[in-house]
Amino acid sequence: LLHQITSFEDCKSFRKLISTHNKLYSEYIKINPRPISFKTIHNRLHERPCHYKSYDEFNQDVKKIFGQEMRLKTYKGDNEQVVKSRMQKAKRVQNYWKTLTAPYTQYGFDTIIDNQPKSSSDEREEGNQRNRNKNEDDDEDDDDMKQNDDINIGFLDHTSITNKNKTQNQS
């Protein structure tokens, strides 16, 4: 989702925080004292452990980007045209975000988190867990095989009895 939204051309203004060299910076910080960008969200998403505990937390941060841009409507100054353009882009990006996220459920967010690159310590622990599970599965497989042998023997006994009866009846 994050890749899709940040690939959208109108999103370019919101990928990073507004630069301190930008002529809007001083006014922007007054209106939005703790701004957020898609880069911030990306970094939070890929922290180990992930900053976000749920899809809703992730989605709230994305919505903050749109909200901080909409607060600019109170801006009065020399750069009103620039501000108006940012607000229009934010509205288009917000509409695109709504389109992208409409079909998503909690399962979508969990998949993102589960598919993050693993650190070497995570991989070691996963390997250890797989080995523990494999040993447990092997024990269960041995039990299952014994049960299957009993079932197969019973089946073979039943079919051989049935076949003997058919042979005797044909005689």
Side-chain angles (χ1 to χ4, degrees):
L1 281 174
L2 199 56
H3 176 72
Q4 286 179 292
I5 196 75
T6 56
S7 297
F8 189 51
E9 182 61 32
D10 283 339
C11 186
K12 188 175 183 179
S13 301
F14 317 115
R15 290 182 193 146
K16 295 180 182 177
L17 294 175
I18 194 167
S19 169
T20 56
H21 302 296
N22 189 306
K23 49 191 166 189
L24 285 177
Y25 179 78
S26 61
E27 290 298 317
Y28 192 88
I29 292 301
K30 287 179 190 173
I31 296 169
N32 296 300
R34 292 192 324 259
I36 190 169
S37 69
F38 283 110
K39 183 175 182 174
T40 306
I41 293 170
H42 177 271
N43 292 341
R44 288 177 177 178
L45 188 63
H46 293 287
E47 286 177 0
R48 297 300 271 161
C50 182
H51 172 85
Y52 301 110
K53 302 296 179 222
S54 69
Y55 171 79
D56 291 332
E57 286 181 24
F58 167 74
N59 196 35
Q60 285 302 106
D61 268 359
V62 172
K63 288 179 178 181
K64 283 179 188 176
I65 292 172
F66 310 132
Q68 69 193 20
E69 296 306 318
M70 293 304 132
R71 283 193 291 278
L72 290 175
K73 69 182 171 187
T74 61
Y75 175 81
K76 301 289 183 215
D78 295 340
N79 298 307
E80 284 185 55
Q81 200 56 35
V82 174
V83 168
K84 185 177 180 180
S85 175
R86 281 184 73 88
M87 288 176 50
Q88 289 171 343
K89 288 177 182 178
K91 190 64 177 166
R92 285 191 296 266
V93 174
Q94 182 180 29
N95 288 338
Y96 184 52
W97 180 253
K98 287 178 183 179
T99 302
L100 286 175
T101 58
Y104 275 77
T105 62
Q106 185 64 31
Y107 175 77
F109 180 77
D110 289 342
T111 300
I112 292 168
I113 300 305
D114 291 344
N115 288 314
Q116 286 188 31
K118 304 288 185 202
S119 70
S120 55
S121 62
D122 289 341
E123 289 172 352
R124 275 194 303 275
E125 180 53 37
E126 264 186 21
N128 292 339
Q129 184 63 42
R130 275 194 302 271
N131 287 338
R132 286 191 293 271
N133 290 344
K134 184 180 180 328
N135 290 338
E136 290 171 9
D137 289 346
D138 288 347
D139 292 343
E140 289 174 13
D141 288 347
D142 291 344
D143 292 343
D144 290 345
M145 289 173 68
K146 288 175 189 168
Q147 288 176 348
N148 285 341
D149 287 346
D150 293 343
I151 291 168
N152 288 338
I153 290 169
F155 176 76
L156 292 172
D157 289 345
H158 173 74
T159 54
S160 59
I161 293 169
T162 305
N163 288 338
K164 281 183 190 174
N165 289 340
K166 282 183 182 176
T167 306
Q168 288 174 353
N169 289 339
Q170 288 176 354
S171 311

